[in-house]
């Protein structure tokens, strides 16, 4: 597996350090990592994002044992210096430290001893850059890449330490803002079934009424971008939160992957974020595909019920 595809718009510097601020008042640089450990049934997510022009940052961290939330931090008004520089990787209660670009990252959270996450992430596939699929959002100066990998290390919960030998999950980086501000809704799914079988699908409903498809299937050699994605989420009738989904994706080579997932955990961030409004759920799922079990995050966002992802088919170029 090569670090970067030959035709990638990314450079090693995109993962080594910070990006120069753009002129947009809302310009942001952010990182995320999520993980699930099937041995101990521990899952977590951590996000850090800074808006230096505005002098504010956002920090989200949540941790589950089985299906119970055991720790969380949500700060949407962190006091950020306009020249924060490299500290954007380690503000609030976490540190996100890329070691070998696009290959390894150290991920750390210490919520004042209540829980401690100390993990090393190692990539199983090359980074996927939104520009690999289209320029619908990146043309506004908003960039994003992500890929999946495996974690080793430890997680401590209320004084009990768990050795993590084979957790799985995603990490991403993003910079800019641009057309992100107009997004009305999305359904973002990642899943890893084996080191040579991972997928990503990001279906987006933009503010101008257009719909945009991102994503890929990786089968051991390269990320092959999606041609089509069909997703059918299931929601709790009264609470409205996601219960799971079925997805059917096809890449530009005609290879398809269809899986059904059940939500093992659900974190509800609805109406609590500073830079978006509406509903937002993070759900770690267990997926089944042709006798294989996989794990991954399903992320749902919609501003109002009219924008809630339903039975949704989207093709590249629609």
């Amino acid at each position: 597996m090569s670090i970067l595809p030959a035709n990638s718009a990314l450079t090693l510097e995109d993962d080594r350090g910070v990006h120069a601020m753009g002129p947009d008042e809302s310009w942001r640089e952010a990182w995320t990592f999520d993980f699930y450990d099937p041995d101990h049934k521990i899952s977590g997510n951590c996000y850090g994002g800074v808006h230096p022009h505005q002098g504010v940052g956002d920090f989200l961290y949540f941790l589950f044992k089985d299906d119970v939330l055991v720790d969380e931090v949500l700060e949407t008004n962190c006091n950020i210096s306009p020249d924060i520089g490299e500290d954007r990787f380690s503000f609030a209660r976490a540190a996100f430290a890329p070691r070998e670009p696009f290959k390894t990252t150290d991920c750390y959270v210490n919520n004042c001893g209540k829980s401690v996450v100390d993990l090393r992430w190692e990539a199983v596939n090359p980074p996927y850059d939104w520009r690999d699929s289209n320029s619908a959002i990146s043309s506004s100066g908003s960039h994003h890449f992500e890929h999946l990998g495996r974690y080793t290390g430890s997680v401590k919960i209320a004084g009990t330490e768990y050795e993590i030998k084979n957790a799985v999950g995603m990490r991403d980086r993003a910079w800019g803002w641009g057309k992100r501000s107009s997004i009305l809704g999305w359904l973002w799914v990642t899943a890893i079934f084996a080191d040579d079988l991972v997928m990503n699908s990001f279906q987006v409903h933009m503010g101008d009424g257009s719909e945009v498809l991102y994503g890929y299937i990786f089968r051991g050699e390269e990320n092959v971008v999606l041609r089509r994605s069909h997703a059918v989420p299931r929601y709790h009738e009264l609470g409205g939160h996601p219960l799971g989904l079925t997805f059917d994706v096809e890449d530009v080579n005609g290879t398809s992957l269809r899986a059904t997932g059940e939500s093992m955990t659900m974190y509800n961030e609805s109406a609590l974020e500073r830079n978006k409004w509406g509903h937002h759920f993070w759900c770690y799922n267990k997926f089944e595909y042709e006798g294989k079990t996989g794990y991954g995050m399903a992320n749902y966002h919609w501003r109002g019920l009219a924008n809630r992802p339903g039975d949704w088919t989207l093709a590249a170029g629609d």
Side-chain angles (χ1 to χ4, degrees), residues 152-174:
T152 55
S154 64
V155 173
K156 184 183 290 187
I157 301 172
T160 299
E161 185 167 311
Y162 302 87
E163 183 181 4
I164 306 301
K165 297 180 179 180
N166 196 29
V168 295
M170 181 276 297
R171 65 134 210 176
D172 72 24
R173 292 193 60 184

Side-chain angles (χ1 to χ4, degrees), residues 17-18 29-33 46-50 57-60 78-81 83-99 105-110 173:
V18 301
E29 180 143 30
W31 48 262
T32 307
F33 68 87
C46 189
Y47 162 88
V50 297
D58 303 299
F59 179 74
L60 169 66
C78 297
N79 190 10
I80 297 300
S81 168
D83 59 353
I84 186 171
E86 295 285 340
D87 281 349
R88 67 190 70 179
F89 287 129
S90 57
F91 76 101
R93 298 176 183 179
F96 180 89
R99 298 303 185 192
T105 299
D106 288 340
C107 305
Y108 180 78
V109 186
N110 188 334
R173 292 193 60 184

Side-chain angles (χ1 to χ4, degrees), residues 186-225:
W186 68 55
L187 177 54
W188 175 20
V189 182
T190 61
I192 177 168
F193 296 91
D195 288 358
D196 59 356
L197 182 58
V198 305
M199 64 75 62
N200 166 281
S201 176
F202 185 44
Q203 299 180 210
V204 191
H205 183 192
M206 303 298 295
D208 62 4
S210 63
E211 296 181 336
V212 184
L213 174 63
Y214 296 98
Y216 65 89
I217 299 174
F218 173 79
R219 288 185 177 270
E221 295 184 3
E222 61 180 344
N223 301 329
V224 181
V225 299

Side-chain angles (χ1 to χ4, degrees), residues 9-21:
L10 295 168
T11 70
L12 294 180
E13 294 306 314
D14 284 322
D15 201 27
R16 278 200 178 109
V18 301
H19 294 85
M21 287 187 292

Side-chain angles (χ1 to χ4, degrees), residues 88-158:
R88 67 190 70 179
F89 287 129
S90 57
F91 76 101
R93 298 176 183 179
F96 180 89
R99 298 303 185 192
E100 189 174 0
F102 303 112
K103 285 191 173 182
T104 59
T105 299
D106 288 340
C107 305
Y108 180 78
V109 186
N110 188 334
N111 188 21
C112 302
K114 184 176 181 181
S115 68
V116 181
V117 173
D118 191 356
L119 299 172
R120 169 157 288 193
W121 176 91
E122 296 189 15
V124 301
N125 67 303
Y128 166 73
D129 179 358
W130 279 354
R131 291 170 290 187
D132 296 341
S133 292
N134 60 68
S135 62
I137 297 179
S138 62
S139 62
S140 67
S142 185
H143 301 286
H144 172 104
F145 73 80
E146 63 182 88
H147 42 162
L148 286 105
R150 295 192 177 273
Y151 291 90
T152 55
S154 64
V155 173
K156 184 183 290 187
I157 301 172

Side-chain angles (χ1 to χ4, degrees), residues 36-42 65 163-167:
Y36 177 73
D37 174 47
D39 294 335
H40 302 293
K41 295 183 172 56
I42 296 173
K65 179 72 171 74
E163 183 181 4
I164 306 301
K165 297 180 179 180
N166 196 29

